[in-house]
Amino acid sequence: MGGWSVREFLLTANRLSDWSRVHAVVAGLGVSGYSAADGLLSLGARVTVLDESDTHADKAAILEALDATVRLGKGATAELPGDTDLVVTSPGWRPDTPLLTRALERGIPVWGDIELAWRMQQPDRAIPWLGVTGTNGKTTTTQMAESMLRAAGMRAAAVGNIGRPIVEAILDDEPYDALVVELSSFQLHWVHTVALHSAAVLNLHEDHLEFYNGPGGYERYVADKARIFERVTNACVYNVAEPETERLVEEAEVTEGARAIGFTTGIPAISMIGVVDGLIVDRAFVAQRHSSALELAKVADVRPYAPHNVANACAAAALVRSLGVPARSVAQGLRDLRLAGHRIAEVAEINGVRWIDDSKATNPHAADSAMRAFPSFVWVAGGQTKGTSFDELITTHRDRIRAAILIGVDRQVIADALSRHAPDVPVIILDSSDHGVMDEVVSHAARLAREGDAVLLSPGSASLDMFTGYDDRGERFADAVRSLQAPSS
């Protein structure tokens, strides 16, 4: 294959194609990069891995033993090998990264691991993929859908942005019946031929604007989210409360016969899933959908209960019902589910005050969802605000905020918004950059909170300025609360 013929080959290449003369460069040796390199090697491609970090020596050694070339350390990504046929990028790499822009300038295809995984199961091992994206609620909805599928007796896995690389699942010996794929905008940016069985866009709000920097950043973010609906074969699931998500369905080039399915926490119209008298009901996937509604679950089956989690449950139900999952399995899946931590998780109740770990709220819209669950709270916020605005959040909830305790590199951004929109709310700004600041946070919060309040760690910001991740931030908060709770010696 010459240069052009290789590119022509890659337009339709799949698991059964001859990859032996393809030189693929994998950009990044993180979790997804490692699995992508492993996947490409399994196809028979020649693989080079490039990463500026030198912390992946163990992974490099394994890949080199499999005949990959690995270049680590500063300057490793400065040059793209001259005979590169394909670049597979890790999702955290911005599209304007020099290595990727050089590839595109040379006409070299750039895929993400999602595109690679899709090719790796075609044409003879294809199974349905249910895709989930949105600014918030992706992980919860993905877990709900996976649990519903398993309750129906299906072999299913939650993969993608949720933590487990999708290529790893494709390489797994487990013969899955379906995959539920959490998809970030970064991952969707590099999708080209993926045709999901069904897909949901949960909501759209400002986030990751540091990634989509420059004019039109939000519009580019939405455009990447919209790619999830392209080529969908069965159902495009949208949020009735956010018309922009329905617009994305209307504008998508879907496979003929694909339907638009709405989800709502209100009474559903035809072709929707929603809530009636404390029940989650289906008016989309029923035999006589014009006149009947099928009970899927009780709202009480959703745990932890919060309005946004009910919406997530409706979206998950729409996805799995598109695969024919019976109503009883929707309810059983919700009851069986044990969500990952740090999302409106109650740490303790002390003297009538509930201490809530919502560290996974890494943008204002996620914090908004948690705030709606509590009538009065001491708010613990701050971190890396990623270019987002807190004005609307504070305007909406200023009457609920007993006090605010602010930490992190962008704490002043939130302090300024509080000053503009809630000047009467007491604000404590902690300048410490040490992750041990949570002891101080909890001490101040215990003094400020009153019986019936919550102390709500819902930062609305990313965590990597002070912590190893949102989970580390939440665990340190919980540890500090438990220390407060422990009897003195």
Side-chain angles (χ1 to χ4, degrees):
M1 289 184 287
W4 170 248
S5 62
V6 172
R7 293 173 196 172
E8 193 171 37
F9 161 83
L10 288 169
L11 291 174
T12 57
N14 58 44
R15 194 183 73 82
L16 302 181
S17 302
D18 178 8
W19 289 73
S20 61
R21 295 180 63 185
V22 174
H23 180 202
V25 170
V26 175
L29 189 50
V31 175
S32 64
Y34 175 80
S35 66
D38 191 20
L40 286 161
L41 289 166
S42 76
L43 291 171
R46 183 161 56 94
V47 177
T48 299
V49 182
L50 307 176
D51 196 313
E52 293 281 328
S53 171
D54 57 5
T55 61
H56 303 298
D58 291 346
K59 294 177 182 177
I62 295 171
L63 293 175
E64 287 173 335
L66 297 172
D67 292 331
T69 300
V70 182
R71 299 175 187 167
L72 302 180
K74 189 174 181 179
T77 67
E79 295 295 332
L80 185 66
D83 60 346
T84 300
D85 299 308
L86 171 69
V87 174
V88 177
T89 180
S90 297
W93 285 47
R94 287 170 47 153
D96 60 359
T97 300
L99 185 79
L100 303 183
T101 57
R102 281 195 291 272
L104 294 173
E105 288 167 358
R106 286 164 50 180
I108 297 170
V110 179
W111 297 356
D113 65 326
I114 305 299
E115 179 71 21
L116 175 62
W118 181 257
R119 303 298 190 96
M120 286 176 60
Q121 68 163 10
Q122 306 297 327
D124 59 327
R125 295 183 179 176
I127 59 172
W129 291 11
L130 305 178
V132 181
T133 197
T135 305
N136 297 300
K138 295 186 296 295
T139 298
T140 297
T141 304
T142 300
Q143 290 175 310
M144 286 175 168
E146 178 195 35
S147 186
M148 293 170 187
L149 292 172
R150 289 184 173 179
M154 297 178 68
R155 294 164 297 190
V159 296
N161 194 57
I162 198 169
R164 186 186 183 196
I166 190 168
V167 173
E168 181 182 300
I170 298 299
L171 290 170
D172 201 331
D173 291 335
E174 175 77 13
Y176 292 111
D177 298 312
L179 297 177
V180 189
V181 190
E182 179 183 329
L183 293 165
S184 69
S185 58
F186 311 151
Q187 290 169 314
L188 287 165
H189 183 85
W190 302 111
V191 161
H192 304 290
T193 66
V194 174
L196 298 169
H197 178 276
S198 296
V201 176
L202 304 177
N203 43 63
L204 293 167
H205 300 274
E206 287 189 351
D207 196 17
H208 296 298
L209 297 189
E210 82 289 1
F211 189 93
Y212 295 92
N213 60 351
Y218 177 71
E219 289 73 19
R220 285 182 281 120
Y221 169 71
V222 171
D224 279 348
K225 292 288 192 187
R227 295 169 71 91
I228 198 171
F229 288 140
E230 297 297 321
R231 296 170 296 277
V232 160
T233 62
N234 192 278
C236 296
V237 179
Y238 66 91
N239 186 344
V240 175
E242 296 197 16
E244 190 171 18
T245 64
E246 185 176 14
R247 176 182 64 80
L248 299 187
V249 177
E250 293 168 349
E251 295 177 354
E253 293 290 337
V254 302
T255 302
E256 186 176 356
R259 298 172 55 200
I261 305 296
F263 70 90
T264 174
T265 55
I267 296 174
I270 296 167
S271 293
M272 293 182 187
I273 288 178
V275 177
V276 178
D277 296 332
L279 302 175
I280 296 173
V281 301
D282 179 359
R283 292 197 68 196
F285 302 100
V286 287
Q288 296 176 335
R289 63 179 183 270
H290 289 282
S291 59
S292 61
L294 176 66
E295 177 185 339
L296 299 178
K298 295 178 174 62
V299 168
D301 293 330
V302 179
R303 295 188 295 263
Y305 173 80
H308 70 279
N309 268 347
V310 177
N312 292 337
C314 291
L319 289 171
V320 302
R321 289 286 289 161
S322 79
L323 266 180
V325 165
R328 64 182 180 276
S329 299
V330 172
Q332 190 62 51
L334 289 172
R335 291 192 294 267
D336 291 346
L337 180 63
R338 297 294 179 267
L339 290 174
H342 312 294
R343 193 69 178 104
I344 321 184
E346 184 164 327
V347 176
E349 182 173 336
I350 305 171
N351 299 325
V353 175
R354 299 173 67 191
W355 295 78
I356 306 297
D357 170 12
D358 191 49
S359 183
K360 199 173 189 297
T362 58
N363 58 62
H365 185 253
D368 172 76
S369 296
M371 288 178 173
R372 291 180 186 276
F374 303 98
S376 179
F377 53 86
V378 175
W379 182 30
V380 181
Q384 299 159 299
T385 58
K386 302 177 289 184
T388 56
S389 168
F390 286 75
D391 294 303
E392 182 178 353
L393 179 72
I394 291 167
T395 299
T396 300
H397 297 289
R398 58 191 169 197
D399 294 335
R400 300 170 183 253
I401 305 174
R402 174 80 64 196
I405 304 171
L406 306 181
I407 63 174
V409 64
D410 292 330
R411 55 194 177 276
Q412 195 60 44
V413 172
I414 305 174
D416 291 344
L418 284 161
S419 178
R420 287 192 295 272
H421 304 294
D424 295 332
V425 170
V427 177
I428 294 175
I429 301 175
L430 301 180
D431 293 331
S432 172
S433 59
D434 188 285
H435 52 63
V437 73
M438 281 302 179
D439 289 330
E440 195 175 351
V441 165
V442 166
S443 177
H444 283 294
R447 176 177 55 82
L448 291 163
R450 301 178 188 174
E451 185 175 350
D453 285 348
V455 175
L456 179 61
L457 171 67
S458 191
S461 310
S463 57
L464 296 179
D465 56 330
M466 297 173 67
F467 305 92
T468 60
Y470 72 79
D471 50 347
D472 178 42
R473 177 171 61 189
E475 286 158 12
R476 290 182 184 278
F477 172 76
D479 286 345
V481 172
R482 284 188 281 266
S483 294
L484 179 72
Q485 192 178 30
S488 57
S489 55

